[in-house]
Amino acid sequence: MGLSPGGSVPLRPGDLIQFKLDGRPIAMLTAWDALSAALVEAAGADVVLVGDSLAMVVLGHATTLPVTLEEMLQHCRAVGRGLGRPPARQPLLVCDLPFLSYQCGLDGAVAAAGAVLKHSPAAAVKLEGGEPETVAVVDRLVRSGIPVMAHLGLTPQSVHRLGYRRQATDPISQERLRRAALNLEAAGSFALVLEHVPADLAGSLRRELTIPVIGIGAGDDCDGQVRVTADLLGLTERQPPFCPPLLAGRSLAIEALGGWVTGLAASAAPTSPPISPPPSAPPTTPPAPAAPHC
């Protein structure tokens, strides 16, 4: 419910480790504007993620790649405005670093992540991947005072290389993911999102890592779960296989709005017949001139 273990100070990234120690499941939902933020806060989410999935959900792109850092900042600020509880009761706000905002050198990554904390209400950033270059970025960000949530498995920013298929399905790739997870933890990540990987792998990592493992399509043996809110509400046309909707939100919305439109047309006043102009007066003949007088 967005409460720190002490309950009287804002929830901090490091508090999620205490959640894991206490056996308290972590609930993380995405938001992209003030309205969605108010909904997920009222629902009791512990963490609100301004995910780069908004590129597809909100901005209409085919992938997450086109969204820019400035767009992420704009949406993150809108989400912050939608959180209405006192600070000590607000959920932890995390913002995704978009594609190419952290892959072009350590200084550029610090500038991008620093802009998120400086120019939005987010308290942490999330980034994808476990390559040595990414681990170095995490280390640099953490040493610069920027909390980092890591993300392994299906990483949507690598869609052109990995697609959207399930990841780490063989022993070699599972060991590679395991080593990446350990390296990200050693670099200072405060949590790890595991997306679309086998449940037994996620459970094994949950037990091996000190930081919490937050799953999405990774089975139930995780320290928490994250979902794209639009998927849970059934608002998207294509649902991921690991996120069945809780309600048919898209159909319900179309039906309700369509009923309003139809009702508006049916209640319109009948059209009156056109008013004919009054008949024109017959032309008057000017009087004949008077006869001249002699």
Side-chain angles (χ1 to χ4, degrees), residues 213-228:
V213 171
I214 302 174
I216 175 168
D220 296 330
D221 192 8
C222 298
D223 299 302
Q225 297 289 331
V226 56
R227 294 293 186 272
V228 174

Side-chain angles (χ1 to χ4, degrees), residues 151-163:
H151 183 158
L152 293 174
L154 195 166
T155 48
Q157 291 179 12
S158 301
V159 59
H160 295 310
R161 182 169 64 89
L162 302 177

